[in-house]
Amino acid sequence: MPLLKVEGLGKLYDGETKVLRDVNFEVEAGEFLSIIGPSGAGKSTLLRCINRMVEISEGKVIFDDLDVGEMRKKELRKLRTNIGMIFQHYNLVPRLTVIENVLHGRFGYKSTLQGVFARFTEEEKERAFFLLDKLGIAEHAYKRCDQLSGGQQQRVGICRALIQEPKLILCDEPIASLDPNSSKVIMDYLKQISTEMGITCLVNLHQVDVAKEYADRIIGLKKGEIVFDGPSKLLYEDQIENIYGIETRELITV
Amino acid sequence: METSQAMNQALMKRKRNGQINIKSGNKIDSAVKWTIWVLTVLTVISFFFFDYTGLQLERAITETAHNLRVMFLEPGLSHFGWGEAFYQVGITLGLGVLATVFGAIIALFLSLMAAENLSKPWLSKTIRIIVAFIRAVPTVLWVLIFAIAAGLGSEAAVLGMLFHSVAYLVKAFSEAIEEVNPGIIEALRATGSSWWHIVVHGVLPSTFTYLLSWTFLRFEINFSVAVAMGAAAGAGGIGFELFMASGFYFDLREVGFITYAILIIAIVLEVISTRLKNRYFPSSVKA
């Protein structure tokens, strides 16, 4: 049984602009999957339909045998605790400490009052330190997030997603604002998470080379439609050309 | 080349004497010009229609100068002592603090409902319209309206000031909240956080300093309003003493003293709020 099943997914903005049309794919548990495509192809929208940060217009998204589109408020919160998310701009609360930001990942498991008064158990705090240590930033735990570099902030973002104990992690351009060195560190950690912890990863990427190097499978998106779906090693020049609409050597690939 | 020159010729606007115009010559420009002209003419004409009977210009000027000198160079107290003066200033400050603190607490909750990024569009619009209406009516009027129920005095003054403060702060707070990075809210939503979690751990830490400086700014306003309310609504405090000294006893020295007392407090508040503003609104100074 696949972990995630997307059937005939379509998304309209303002009732007319069609961002996604008839998207179909399945993801098995433990896969490392990358979605590539030019800007405006609908990659971010596709990710946000999976945890319903945007409403689904057509078709179905089935996660763990449950229909995401049909969920009520409470079920939706439960779904989101099972799906971690990582963003291009990290989206941490800059004035709070690293450890506080990591523990924000536990809110999905908390009642309103527990969350408002930040009642975290000692196990949760220990788990947070364990994850920070795993990503090599435990010594920054009590620093404010705006004092950290981009690469370090993204690692805090990964910790926040991991402490949710998710089955799936959605990464929306995780390395688009980072230098090549930090990009490699982040991608290595993501790969490590998927192999060691068996967490499924869905990564939106601009960089074709990075996708080919890290992902088991690649989905190519063009104008809201899937134009390629297969193992990364089967993605050849002509398909990349088809996805991006120009020849690869004209692309600046970092 | 020639065609583009012809195009430019068609686009250029010329004055009557053939020079190229650099003003856009739209309706707003000419409306402003005409308004200024009309006002100038009316001002000049009005001087010829004043009622000058009984005016002794020389005496008026010297006596005003004398009064001002007595007021500001020989200030003193005659009807009450220093202790009483401090006590009355304390009452006025107290009126301002009460209205501001209660106002800030109520406004915080209302502004969460009025901020578009945290609320439903209909709710946010409704609150904004109500609040805009309350703000449009001056504080003094609200105090007099509440005086119907509470009677003239400090209760009505605090209620009226509170009412206006809430309306003012809801606008300021909700605009500060709307400037929170939408990514922070999105990230917290994606972890399965509830609305209160997002507010307490995402929005408030990011905006707290703004909210605090807006509140202090409002306190400064409420202090000066409280002075006026002491006189106009019988709310007590230094404003009432000022009213008695000037309108009842015609004691210019006391008026001078009270004016200095109010001025000192106002300067202290102004200094603190300017410091807060520079610290927390470095780029744009919002008044």
Side-chain angles (χ1 to χ4, degrees):
Chain A
M1 183 196 82
L3 177 71
L4 174 72
K5 209 162 144 187
V6 176
E7 286 173 357
L9 177 68
K11 173 68 191 172
L12 293 129
Y13 279 116
D14 314 323
E16 41 187 287
T17 348
K18 206 153 190 182
V19 189
L20 292 174
R21 56 187 79 208
D22 196 28
V23 173
N24 292 286
F25 65 93
E26 288 182 2
V27 183
E28 298 292 334
E31 256 189 300
F32 194 104
L33 193 146
S34 177
I35 301 167
I36 60 167
S39 303
K43 304 191 294 294
S44 295
T45 309
L46 175 56
L47 279 199
R48 280 168 178 74
C49 281
I50 293 169
N51 61 356
R52 231 178 87 189
M53 296 298 286
V54 300
E55 290 301 318
I56 296 162
S57 316
E58 294 164 3
K60 272 185 181 174
V61 173
I62 299 187
F63 179 81
D64 222 8
D65 251 359
L66 295 167
D67 189 338
V68 173
E70 296 289 304
M71 284 181 175
R72 314 286 301 255
K73 213 172 165 185
K74 212 170 174 186
E75 300 161 295
L76 196 59
R77 274 188 68 192
K78 192 156 181 307
L79 168 87
R80 286 176 182 163
T81 61
N82 279 319
I83 302 180
M85 196 160 187
I86 293 165
F87 304 86
Q88 178 183 348
H89 299 293
Y90 335 121
N91 294 358
L92 307 169
V93 184
R95 285 171 197 264
L96 295 183
T97 60
V98 167
I99 188 79
E100 281 176 298
N101 267 289
V102 173
L103 286 167
H104 285 175
R106 296 300 296 179
F107 282 148
Y109 295 98
K110 302 280 175 193
S111 73
T112 299
L113 281 181
Q114 280 174 331
V116 164
F117 295 108
R119 307 294 297 177
F120 297 110
T121 63
E122 291 305 303
E123 290 84 58
E124 285 170 326
K125 293 178 206 166
E126 273 165 28
R127 176 83 183 151
F129 267 98
F130 168 77
L131 289 170
L132 284 172
D133 186 48
K134 203 172 162 64
L135 280 109
I137 45 171
E139 75 258 36
H140 302 304
Y142 292 105
K143 277 191 189 164
R144 267 171 57 150
C145 279
D146 47 10
Q147 295 171 343
L148 266 53
S149 73
Q152 289 168 330
Q153 290 196 37
Q154 191 60 290
R155 282 188 263 168
V156 178
I158 295 175
C159 285
R160 179 174 63 189
L162 286 178
I163 205 164
Q164 290 178 232
E165 287 161 20
K167 291 177 179 157
L168 170 70
I169 290 188
L170 305 172
C171 310
D172 189 18
E173 312 271 5
I175 55 171
S177 328
L178 297 176
D179 64 79
N181 215 350
S182 323
S183 297
K184 185 171 161 22
V185 174
I186 294 296
M187 288 312 292
D188 285 342
Y189 276 123
L190 289 177
K191 187 75 184 172
Q192 193 189 337
I193 287 159
S194 105
T195 48
E196 278 181 19
M197 302 174 148
I199 298 172
T200 318
C201 284
L202 231 72
V203 188
N204 270 1
L205 282 174
H206 269 311
Q207 301 91 331
V208 184
D209 293 350
V210 180
K212 283 185 82 165
E213 194 183 330
Y214 286 93
D216 307 322
R217 186 176 139 204
I218 287 177
I219 286 180
L221 214 56
K222 184 185 180 184
K223 288 179 186 163
E225 282 176 292
I226 290 186
V227 289
F228 176 85
D229 182 357
S232 346
K233 53 181 182 291
L234 292 183
L235 181 73
Y236 298 119
E237 289 293 308
D238 54 332
Q239 274 131 351
I240 297 171
E241 201 177 303
N242 179 23
I243 294 168
Y244 284 92
I246 55 168
E247 290 186 30
T248 15
R249 57 190 147 74
E250 291 176 40
L251 289 171
I252 304 163
T253 47
V254 183
Chain B
M1 189 64 204
E2 271 172 32
T3 49
S4 78
Q5 211 153 35
M7 282 271 287
N8 283 344
Q9 287 297 339
L11 287 171
M12 281 175 199
K13 283 179 184 163
R14 286 180 187 279
K15 293 180 190 166
R16 263 174 231 147
N17 59 11
Q19 285 176 325
I20 297 170
N21 209 341
I22 54 170
K23 286 257 196 296
S24 65
N26 55 15
K27 276 183 186 156
I28 295 168
D29 278 345
S30 61
V32 168
K33 202 173 94 185
W34 275 105
T35 311
I36 290 172
W37 267 110
V38 170
L39 286 178
T40 314
V41 170
L42 283 177
T43 309
V44 172
I45 292 173
S46 67
F47 276 111
F48 296 97
F49 289 95
F50 281 157
D51 184 2
Y52 290 104
T53 47
L55 177 74
Q56 294 162 283
L57 207 57
E58 204 176 318
R59 208 181 136 214
I61 289 171
T62 50
E63 286 199 359
T64 307
H66 173 75
N67 281 354
L68 285 176
R69 208 192 63 210
V70 171
M71 210 185 277
F72 291 111
L73 297 181
E74 304 164 14
L77 289 172
S78 46
H79 293 88
F80 54 92
W82 276 80
E84 181 70 9
F86 267 108
Y87 177 66
Q88 296 297 344
V89 170
I91 288 181
T92 304
L93 277 173
L95 292 174
V97 169
L98 265 183
T100 315
V101 169
F102 284 125
I105 294 168
I106 297 170
L108 178 64
F109 288 100
L110 284 177
S111 64
L112 292 173
M113 291 188 262
E116 272 167 358
N117 50 356
L118 289 176
S119 174
K120 294 184 176 65
W122 65 267
L123 185 59
S124 133
K125 275 220 182 71
T126 318
I127 291 180
R128 268 153 199 260
I129 290 169
I130 295 171
V131 152
F133 171 74
I134 295 174
R135 252 183 303 119
V137 178
T139 315
V140 189
L141 276 184
W142 284 119
V143 173
L144 294 177
I145 290 167
F146 279 108
I148 298 168
L152 271 179
S154 47
E155 295 90 348
V158 169
L159 277 174
M161 282 156 65
L162 175 73
F163 217 57
H164 204 265
S165 301
V166 167
Y168 176 93
L169 289 176
V170 164
K171 186 180 159 68
F173 284 4
S174 61
E175 276 169 12
I177 290 170
E178 277 166 11
E179 283 180 23
V180 172
N181 176 3
I184 291 176
I185 296 169
E186 187 188 26
L188 282 173
R189 259 194 342 129
T191 65
S193 302
S194 73
W195 187 83
W196 280 108
H197 298 160
I198 296 172
V199 167
V200 175
H201 295 283
V203 174
L204 289 188
S206 315
T207 51
F208 193 67
T209 50
Y210 286 85
L211 304 190
L212 216 60
S213 0
W214 275 118
T215 308
F216 200 84
L217 214 71
R218 184 64 209 188
F219 175 57
E220 206 190 314
I221 298 173
N222 275 351
F223 173 71
S224 43
V225 174
V227 171
M229 284 313 113
I238 200 72
F240 184 68
E241 297 297 336
L242 180 63
F243 170 69
M244 293 299 279
S246 65
F248 234 74
Y249 305 127
F250 299 111
D251 187 338
L252 291 180
R253 291 187 176 81
E254 205 161 79
V255 169
F257 185 89
I258 293 170
T259 311
Y260 277 125
I262 294 169
L263 194 69
I264 288 166
I265 303 278
I267 288 172
V268 170
L269 294 182
E270 177 69 35
V271 167
I272 298 175
S273 85
T274 312
R275 287 211 175 158
L276 280 174
K277 262 192 286 182
N278 289 344
R279 192 152 161 206
Y280 297 120
F281 306 135
S283 54
S284 61
V285 178
K286 299 168 187 177

